[in-house]
Amino acid sequence: MKIRDADILIIPGYRNSEPDHWQSRWQAKMATARRVEQAEWTKPVFEDWVASAQEAIAASNGDAVIVAHSLGVATAVHAIHRAPELAGKVRGGFFVAPPDVANPKIRPRHFMTFGPYPEDPLPFPAFVIASRDDHYTSFEKAEETAANWGALLVDAGHSGHINAQSGHGPWPEGLMVFARFMKRL
């Protein structure tokens, strides 16, 4: 599948993705990309975030590809799990740096309202991109999560939380992995 033929749904995490974040940069470069907006970015409310994702998926043309980061991954997975009828509109999921939302030590604490993740296999192909030194999850937890979902795990090495703060503004390596992912769809 070509990027131009897909409805790219950008689902940011906590505090949104600032202009230097790779999600914002990709959105600016991809004509068919649109951001799933949230009413409150700094105090995420599980039901509201999931409903926003479901609305965006429902409004897609049937060839949606989800590009989610951090808490956006939890949002996307719960949105599909809670409304399985939407799964037919999603061609694939590109999930970057999923946090361990079931870990009681995670901060901010309201991340836990998004956990635990559904453990059922996803009804569409997915890549999970995980770092070995992400402060929001362990690599082992990311491996387990990807396996549960039937997703391909991509080892990002020591990349922090794969955001602008960890040096992943444009993130060209990620864009190359995304292009390979799109070719599989």
Side-chain angles (χ1 to χ4, degrees):
M1 173 175 233
K2 295 186 186 303
I3 291 172
R4 70 173 178 253
D5 297 331
D7 189 6
I8 308 292
L9 300 178
I10 305 286
I11 305 181
Y14 177 62
R15 294 188 177 168
N16 201 351
S17 292
E18 66 274 4
D20 287 341
H21 193 286
W22 61 267
Q23 278 187 312
S24 297
R25 290 172 181 241
W26 290 12
Q27 181 180 350
K29 290 186 184 291
M30 296 178 191
T32 62
R34 62 189 164 93
R35 183 173 306 241
V36 175
E37 294 291 342
Q38 301 296 345
E40 180 55 66
W41 287 105
T42 60
K43 293 182 183 171
V45 176
F46 175 80
E47 294 296 334
D48 295 346
W49 278 43
V50 168
S52 293
Q54 289 172 332
E55 289 168 13
I57 294 166
S60 75
N61 63 13
D63 287 322
V65 175
I66 297 170
V67 177
H69 178 258
S70 191
L71 201 57
V73 175
T75 301
V77 171
H78 282 295
I80 293 297
H81 182 72
R82 290 172 154 236
E85 68 277 7
L86 294 176
K89 290 189 161 253
V90 178
R91 293 284 300 270
F94 192 78
F95 299 138
V96 180
D100 182 357
V101 291
N103 182 347
K105 294 179 182 175
I106 198 166
R107 296 294 180 269
R109 279 194 183 276
H110 49 262
F111 278 29
M112 285 188 60
T113 64
F114 286 74
Y117 287 117
E119 294 185 355
D120 302 331
L122 293 169
F124 46 77
F127 275 18
V128 171
I129 295 80
S131 168
R132 292 188 171 270
D133 60 353
D134 187 339
H135 58 278
Y136 288 108
T137 193
S138 68
F139 188 76
E140 294 74 25
K141 181 62 179 176
E143 280 181 308
E144 177 186 321
T145 300
N148 288 342
W149 294 344
L152 177 70
L153 178 71
V154 178
D155 184 343
H158 296 277
S159 300
H161 193 51
I162 312 176
N163 57 11
Q165 290 75 27
S166 64
H168 295 85
W171 195 34
E173 302 87 357
L175 196 53
M176 290 183 341
V177 173
F178 181 67
R180 283 194 299 260
F181 174 69
M182 291 297 293
K183 285 182 181 180
R184 291 178 170 215
L185 300 181

